């Protein structure tokens, strides 16, 4: 089994994946790059791809188009629910192409419901690496003391704008004014780390960042 990845990833991640046997192909910068389709088609040809598996709307459109044009089987991954989509051109184009996908793979029943008429669809829940979780370090004495006797809300996510963690912080901060026993533990890192820490400073000890674990 050979795996190839066509994506915009950093050099460090690409090196780790390459070491694990994954062939990495860099996607052109810009969501609407005119070179996206040709680059993806070339990557599929160089990798000798027998199946194209797409994630997220942009690549569902570009990857789906390449799969259909080159007559390769296409698996479309659905990671959202119907509420995430509208009636704009991009969403409508994705739905039009997606109806011709070989199969739809969703990680929830809500995702499967986005494609009610597709003849071949299934749910594969997200996996959990229990061994990695068991190796995660426990809370430090200071962290354990901070949560002792409190109602803990924990979020685990990459700190990026699309995750809208600013809304989570704002909501917990406001609730904590009336419910001081609430505390939000943020687990993860990412490019918005500094901005979110600055925002959370307004709410004192109601929000704590634990970083990547």
């Amino acid at each position: 089994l050979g795996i190839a990845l066509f994506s915009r990833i950093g050099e460090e991640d690409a090196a780790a994946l390459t070491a694990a046997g994954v062939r990495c192909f860099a996607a052109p910068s810009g969501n609407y790059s005119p070179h996206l389709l040709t680059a993806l088609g070339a990557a599929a040809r160089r990798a000798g791809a027998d199946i194209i598996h797409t994630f997220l709307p942009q690549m569902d459109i570009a990857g789906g188009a390449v799969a259909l044009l080159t007559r390769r089987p296409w698996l479309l991954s659905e990671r959202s629910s119907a509420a995430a989509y509208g009636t704009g051109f991009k969403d409508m184009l994705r739905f039009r192409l997606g109806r011709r996908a070989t199969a739809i793979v969703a990680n929830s029943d809500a995702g499967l419901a986005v494609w009610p008429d597709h003849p071949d669809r299934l749910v594969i829940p997200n996996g959990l690496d229990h061994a990695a979780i068991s190796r995660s370090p426990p809370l430090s004495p200071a962290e354990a003391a901070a949560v002792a006797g409190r109602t803990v809300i924990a979020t685990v996510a990459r700190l990026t704008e699309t995750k809208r963690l600013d809304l989570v912080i704002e909501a917990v901060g406001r609730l904590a004014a009336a419910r001081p026993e609430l505390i939000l533990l943020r687990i993860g890192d990412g490019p918005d780390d500094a901005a979110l820490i600055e925002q959370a400073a307004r709410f004192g000890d109601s929000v704590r960042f634990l970083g990547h674990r």
Side-chain angles (χ1 to χ4, degrees):
L1 176 65
I3 299 175
L5 175 67
F6 181 81
S7 181
R8 298 188 191 103
I9 57 174
E11 292 183 3
E12 184 176 342
D13 289 335
L17 288 169
T18 300
V22 177
R23 295 186 66 183
C24 295
F25 298 89
S29 60
N31 288 340
Y32 301 100
S33 170
H35 305 296
L36 185 59
L37 286 177
T38 55
L40 179 51
R45 183 175 63 255
R46 289 173 57 194
D50 295 306
I51 298 173
I52 291 180
H53 190 183
T54 62
F55 291 81
L56 302 179
Q58 180 192 13
M59 293 311 299
D60 290 336
I61 293 171
V66 169
L68 294 172
L69 288 170
T70 60
R71 299 185 179 182
R72 287 180 167 89
W74 169 28
L75 300 181
L76 185 153
S77 285
E78 182 56 72
R79 292 296 184 265
S80 298
S81 65
Y85 302 106
T87 57
F89 174 77
K90 186 175 182 180
D91 288 343
M92 291 297 98
L93 179 58
R94 177 178 183 264
F95 288 134
R96 182 176 291 275
L97 292 173
R99 294 189 186 100
R100 299 175 62 188
T102 308
I104 305 293
V105 180
N107 61 347
S108 67
D109 289 333
L112 209 62
V114 175
W115 305 91
D117 301 322
H118 198 283
D120 196 353
R121 58 196 188 114
L122 70 157
V123 172
I124 300 179
N126 291 338
L128 291 176
D129 188 340
H130 293 279
I133 292 172
S134 67
R135 293 193 300 269
S136 181
L139 294 178
S140 69
E143 291 165 345
V147 302
R150 302 181 71 175
T151 300
V152 177
I153 302 172
T155 63
V156 182
R158 182 164 168 75
L159 307 185
T160 61
E161 182 181 1
T162 56
K163 302 298 183 182
R164 295 316 309 264
L165 296 169
D166 58 320
L167 297 182
V168 178
I169 292 171
E170 189 71 27
V172 172
R174 292 186 181 186
L175 286 171
R179 298 276 304 276
E181 77 278 9
L182 291 179
I183 183 170
L184 172 66
L185 299 185
R186 264 300 309 117
I187 303 165
D189 57 15
D192 287 357
D193 194 12
L196 292 171
I197 289 175
E198 182 179 355
Q199 178 193 6
R202 295 165 37 212
F203 302 114
D205 69 346
S206 296
V207 182
R208 293 183 67 95
F209 285 74
L210 303 185
H212 178 74
R213 304 174 78 87

